[in-house]
Amino acid sequence: MPLLDIRDFSLSVDGRALLNAVSLTVDPGQIVALVGGSGSGKSMTALSVLGLTPPGARAQGSIRLDGQELTALTDRGMDAVRGRDVGLVFQEPMTALNPVLSIGAQVAETVRVHGMARRAEAARVADAMLARVGLPADRFPRSRRPHELSGGQRQRVAIAAALAAKPKLLIADEPTTALDVTTQARILDLLVDLVRQDGLGLLLISHDLALVSGVADRVVVLQEGAVVESGPPAIVLQSPEHPYTRRLLAGAVPPRQRPDTPPAPVQPPLLAAQEIVRDYALPRPTLWAKPGTLRAVDRVSLAVHRGESVGIVGESGSGKSTLLRTLLAADRPQAGTVRLLDQDWSAVSEGARRRLRRHVQMVFQDPVGSFDPRWRVERLVAEPLALLDAPLSPALRRRRVEELLGQVGLAPEDADRFPHEFSGGQRQRIAIARALAVQPDLIALDEATSALDMLTRAQILDLLADLSRRLGLAYLVVSHDLAVVEALTDRLLVMQDGHVVEEGPTVQVLSQPRHPYTASLVAATPTLPVQGA
Amino acid sequence: MTVMITVEAATDGRRHSAALVAGLVLSGLVVGAALLSLAWTPYDPTAINVAGRLAAPTGAHWFGTDAYGRDVFSQVLAGAQSALAVALAAVGVGLGCGVPLGLLAAGRRGWVEEVAMRGSDIVFAFPALITAVLIAALCGPGAIDAIAAIGLFNIPIFAKVTRAAALSVWARDYTLAARLAGKGAGRISLDHVLPNIAGLLLVQATIQLSLGIIADAGLSFVGLGTQAPRPSWGRMLADSQTLADLAPWLVLFPGLGVVAAVLGFNLLGEGLRAHLNPRRGA
């Protein structure tokens, strides 16, 4: 008998079908990966198992856990199942953990809530569990709070909390998506080890096919709330039958979009940084102590030439976003200079910079935070037009915005809508339209595809490559995602702790890394098995 | 994750729309009374009629009469007008000075922010009552005194709320996008920051309005607010405290006026806070 047996389960909210006759099973000790693009119903399936469907949701079909019908349970009855029979690990460990509870109390809580142990016993269980997830008590006192830990360590705490009550089934919803690539591999290994040791069932939800291909026993592909294909990864991922699966696979390995031999650099460079240094003031340790500083960017030099695409990779905290802000003169460097179009850029006043601003624009990571939620698309896209010497009349402005929306594959009437009416991928298209508005020479892309699923990522990469070919745009691509820089850049800089540790043509750096850090990044990036093999 | 937020908003929404309706009704009643008193009151609220003093509520005098035979209903209506006028003017002072200060602090950071915020702390250190006594000693007691004292107290509150909310807007990428579009801090404050925190400021304004009504009642209770013969709830309560056994309606009705106003604006603020929550729309 399977541990989890979802049979013909459908769910609709306000008449909108979210899940359509989903059937899947998880056996004890089995790892089942649920994959699909955003909005495919992956998370909704997990929430349905836990009885956390939105109000007004109508469900049909059956979900059985160890023979017990979950859809028939009351909310109270579900409380006994959640955490005790089914553990859950979320994507974002910072928000999934309570910031005021110590890690020991956090893990002990699950055990105590279900009345399985008293305080002292629960603390002992928590301690043992934290040690099992790689947080020994001598190095990680149980009184630590989540903010004192790194992202990967926090996710270890979340995993310990999910497993503390010894559930039969663990659901992990994008458990490594918010983590750096080297951390990602370690957390996934840990999760798989624990599940195998305890003989648990694991339902692993992910948009990353390469990630699940190495660990899953079965892969279930979900499209618009329906299962389109399922089977062992060796079959589903190597000889997929359904076109959607094939599209997902193609999206996971975006093709290289740059010429094999980049054009000779045009002198002088578009943007040139010389030995720039950027320090952050740290909080004073005591009232009278001198505040310390953190060197986020340490003597970095780089140049971007006309029509060239340069990538900067590194993990979080490597200083790549700070470097980008300094290059765009949003922050002033403490030492060194940045020149744009061979003119002073970092050293002059904002007033003097204003006439140069139109040459460089930016696309941000967060498709929600990059737009004022109260502005319509027309006004959003037109905002940089203020940089032009002559203001446009309202009619011309409208024409220009519609033209820009057309360039990024959106409809003219989208100009009248608000940003929240669009999907993540569409919002990145709007962001690209806004960046293009003043016909810049260089667009900086700060993790511009990181919040997107792989299908959408592939589409945005296609669009960016196409725009660069047609408009001769130069890109500065900041990302932690090697697939993105491989597809989109000519030259690559690898950053670690504020330093550039390696630099060279992208293909060469990724295929023959010289620095051990680059090698570890490449090694930790999950890869798909060769198709058709 | 978006799913969870919707769940929360939906269950919260029902409770808050009840608060919004109750708040609208109560504060509507108070504002209605104040507006009505501008045009009409059953009797002149200051007309003395010694023969008919301390009459219990009847058809002729709905809320009874006081120790000088003045109609309590007319006085309560007129009292709503002076209470609202003082509280509104004080909120106006707070908004007018506090919001620009908060926007400036968040937009410029550095020493400007330090000066504005430490200045607010200093104003906070003086209770409104002490400030009112001080101003009354300088300019004489009256409605202006109450407005100045309560308004001064409102400035740091609005400055702090504005700064905190503005900083969270400044942390969003769209303000960086606006900077890359060549806009200065002042322009961004007006174009992006202010519209996005306006809802929050409106909520804070309704709460300060209710606090202003309490403060005005308190100040006129001790004789520092609106001066006789203009009616005010605080002074009505002060005048009738020795008669409370004999004529309880003298305490009851102005007291109910204060309660209706304070509760009404508080509930309105609470309801608006939930209603204007941007997560509902997103």
Side-chain angles (χ1 to χ4, degrees):
Chain A
M1 184 178 63
L3 177 62
L4 176 71
D5 187 358
I6 303 180
R7 209 166 285 173
D8 290 328
F9 186 78
S10 302
L11 187 80
S12 64
V13 176
D14 303 329
R16 199 160 51 96
L18 297 179
L19 296 177
N20 192 4
V22 170
S23 295
L24 70 90
T25 59
V26 181
D27 289 332
Q30 196 186 30
I31 299 179
V32 175
L34 196 55
V35 299
S38 34
S40 59
K42 305 187 299 282
S43 293
M44 196 48 78
T45 307
L47 292 174
S48 300
V49 174
L50 291 161
L52 294 174
T53 49
R58 300 171 66 87
Q60 261 183 343
S62 131
I63 301 178
R64 282 171 186 274
L65 181 73
D66 225 4
Q68 186 187 16
E69 179 61 52
L70 296 183
T71 50
L73 284 180
T74 59
D75 210 35
R76 256 218 131 89
M78 267 323 288
D79 280 344
V81 173
R82 286 180 210 133
R84 180 182 186 147
D85 295 331
V86 186
L88 182 63
V89 178
F90 291 103
Q91 172 172 353
E92 184 40 80
M94 193 63 208
T95 50
L97 296 178
N98 182 341
V100 300
L101 277 187
S102 71
I103 58 173
Q106 204 110 228
V107 177
E109 195 183 20
T110 359
V111 186
R112 285 181 58 210
V113 162
H114 292 290
M116 298 163 76
R118 305 185 72 92
R119 184 176 290 267
E121 172 64 10
R124 206 192 51 73
V125 171
D127 182 56
M129 200 62 233
L130 283 166
R132 266 189 82 193
V133 297
L135 302 173
D138 48 340
R139 281 174 49 222
F140 298 93
R142 303 310 182 217
S143 55
R144 290 265 179 97
R145 288 172 213 285
H147 71 267
E148 296 170 288
L149 303 176
S150 72
Q153 289 161 355
R154 276 183 219 131
Q155 197 61 300
R156 285 169 192 268
V157 175
I159 291 172
L163 293 180
K166 304 214 175 301
K168 302 171 204 158
L169 175 72
L170 185 67
I171 299 179
D173 190 353
E174 304 273 5
T176 61
T177 307
L179 305 175
D180 282 326
V181 57
T182 49
T183 323
Q184 200 172 16
R186 285 199 292 271
I187 294 293
L188 192 68
D189 287 346
L190 171 74
L191 204 55
V192 170
D193 276 352
L194 291 174
V195 166
R196 297 266 190 242
Q197 280 168 25
D198 293 0
L200 299 181
L202 172 64
L203 185 61
L204 177 63
I205 296 175
S206 180
H207 71 280
D208 190 340
L209 293 173
L211 184 87
V212 304
S213 67
V215 298
D217 301 314
R218 274 177 76 80
V219 176
V220 177
V221 184
L222 217 55
Q223 180 192 18
E224 290 173 13
V227 175
V228 295
E229 191 163 2
S230 71
I235 294 174
V236 172
L237 299 181
Q238 287 179 37
S239 42
E241 280 178 6
H242 197 276
Y244 182 72
T245 317
R246 282 194 215 118
R247 269 167 52 213
L248 278 181
L249 282 166
V253 195
R256 186 161 161 78
Q257 304 263 18
R258 304 298 298 182
D260 291 335
T261 45
V266 186
Q267 295 298 341
L270 212 48
L271 183 77
Q274 272 296 324
E275 300 271 305
I276 53 174
V277 171
R278 178 84 188 122
D279 290 336
Y280 279 122
L282 293 173
R284 292 167 196 265
T286 61
L287 190 58
W288 305 112
K290 238 176 102 88
T293 53
L294 174 79
R295 183 146 292 192
V297 175
D298 195 2
R299 282 164 303 164
V300 170
S301 303
L302 70 91
V304 183
H305 302 90
R306 205 166 276 281
E308 187 185 32
S309 179
V310 176
I312 303 174
V313 291
E315 306 200 310
S316 50
S318 62
K320 55 194 196 307
S321 289
T322 308
L323 173 64
L324 193 59
R325 286 180 64 93
T326 314
L327 293 176
L328 290 180
D331 288 340
R332 194 177 277 268
Q334 269 83 14
T337 54
V338 186
R339 292 172 71 77
L340 181 68
L341 295 168
D342 213 22
Q343 296 178 56
D344 275 335
W345 173 245
S346 63
V348 294
S349 72
E350 183 60 38
R353 263 199 297 263
R354 194 171 185 278
R355 66 189 175 79
L356 287 174
R357 281 252 178 245
R358 55 162 298 198
H359 295 285
V360 44
Q361 288 292 307
M362 182 162 171
V363 175
F364 301 89
Q365 169 175 11
D366 177 10
V368 179
S370 22
F371 305 109
D372 189 326
R374 291 176 193 275
W375 284 24
R376 286 178 200 277
V377 169
E378 177 177 358
R379 199 171 165 205
L380 288 169
V381 170
E383 191 174 32
L385 291 176
L387 288 172
L388 299 180
D389 296 331
L392 295 178
S393 72
L396 273 177
R397 191 179 90 152
R398 173 79 190 192
R399 277 248 307 278
R400 177 81 184 119
V401 168
E402 287 182 357
E403 187 185 285
L404 287 162
L405 290 177
Q407 275 187 329
V408 298
L410 293 172
E413 55 274 16
D414 285 336
D416 297 317
R417 295 163 71 194
F418 284 100
H420 68 78
E421 297 174 52
F422 295 88
S423 69
Q426 288 171 323
R427 272 183 260 188
Q428 286 311 61
R429 288 174 189 269
I430 300 171
I432 294 168
R434 171 171 67 185
L436 289 174
V438 284
Q439 295 170 307
D441 301 301
L442 171 67
I443 294 184
L445 306 163
D446 187 7
E447 301 276 9
T449 56
S450 300
L452 307 175
D453 66 46
M454 301 234 157
L455 267 182
T456 322
R457 181 183 76 175
Q459 288 160 1
I460 295 292
L461 289 177
D462 278 346
L463 171 68
L464 288 168
D466 179 51
L467 288 170
S468 163
R469 272 192 295 270
R470 280 197 289 129
L471 307 173
L473 277 172
Y475 290 135
L476 188 56
V477 184
V478 167
S479 185
H480 70 277
D481 186 342
L482 296 186
V484 168
V485 289
E486 184 160 19
L488 206 59
T489 64
D490 303 317
R491 223 149 39 78
L492 191 60
L493 283 77
V494 182
M495 273 187 90
Q496 184 189 23
D497 300 331
H499 299 272
V500 172
V501 295
E502 184 162 358
E503 185 179 354
T506 303
V507 180
Q508 190 187 324
V509 170
L510 294 181
S511 57
Q512 300 145 16
R514 278 175 290 131
H515 194 275
Y517 178 70
T518 318
S520 74
L521 280 184
V522 174
T525 303
T527 48
L528 275 171
V530 182
Q531 273 190 61
Chain B
M1 290 318 297
T2 44
V3 183
M4 310 285 239
I5 294 166
T6 340
V7 178
E8 194 181 286
T11 45
D12 251 27
R14 240 160 298 168
R15 189 163 62 81
H16 285 295
S17 44
L20 188 63
V21 171
L24 276 173
V25 169
L26 281 176
S27 50
L29 216 60
V30 175
V31 173
L35 291 176
L36 181 68
S37 77
L38 288 173
W40 174 84
T41 50
Y43 299 90
D44 178 354
T46 58
I48 292 171
N49 171 14
V50 183
R53 72 202 178 97
L54 293 180
T58 57
H61 295 281
W62 290 356
F63 289 1
T65 61
D66 73 357
Y68 300 98
R70 291 175 295 200
D71 179 47
V72 173
F73 183 58
S74 305
Q75 289 195 69
V76 168
L77 287 186
Q81 180 200 325
S82 66
L84 265 185
V86 168
L88 273 174
V91 167
V93 171
L95 276 173
C97 304
V99 172
L101 208 60
L103 286 178
L104 189 72
R108 296 292 292 275
R109 308 302 303 265
W111 66 269
V112 178
E113 182 181 26
E114 219 36 49
V115 169
M117 289 304 113
R118 297 299 82 79
S120 297
D121 290 342
I122 291 170
V123 177
F124 261 139
F126 293 95
L129 192 63
I130 307 278
T131 321
V133 173
L134 189 74
I135 297 173
L138 290 172
C139 329
I144 300 293
D145 169 33
I147 291 169
I150 304 169
L152 192 66
F153 195 66
N154 277 341
I155 294 173
I157 293 176
F158 279 107
K160 294 219 161 193
V161 168
T162 305
R163 172 183 160 273
L167 284 180
S168 75
V169 174
W170 274 105
R172 308 305 293 266
D173 281 339
Y174 58 81
T175 57
L176 181 53
R179 282 179 66 192
L180 300 183
K183 288 185 173 171
R187 231 357 243 295
I188 296 173
S189 290
L190 291 181
D191 281 1
H192 292 288
V193 180
L194 195 55
N196 275 294
I197 66 171
L200 190 75
L201 292 178
L202 183 67
V203 170
Q204 191 64 40
T206 56
I207 289 164
Q208 292 313 116
L209 204 58
S210 81
L211 289 176
I213 285 169
I214 291 198
D216 171 62
L219 288 177
S220 53
F221 189 89
V222 298
L224 290 170
T226 311
Q227 293 298 298
R230 289 199 59 192
S232 81
W233 290 341
R235 220 188 39 265
M236 288 171 76
L237 286 168
D239 289 348
S240 57
Q241 52 183 329
T242 53
L243 299 166
D245 289 343
L246 202 61
W249 57 88
L250 290 184
V251 186
L252 182 67
F253 292 111
L256 280 179
V258 175
V259 169
V262 171
L263 201 61
F265 287 116
N266 258 318
L267 287 173
L268 187 65
E270 168 117 344
L272 280 177
R273 189 205 304 274
H275 195 71
L276 295 172
N277 188 347
R279 279 198 308 199
R280 274 170 47 110

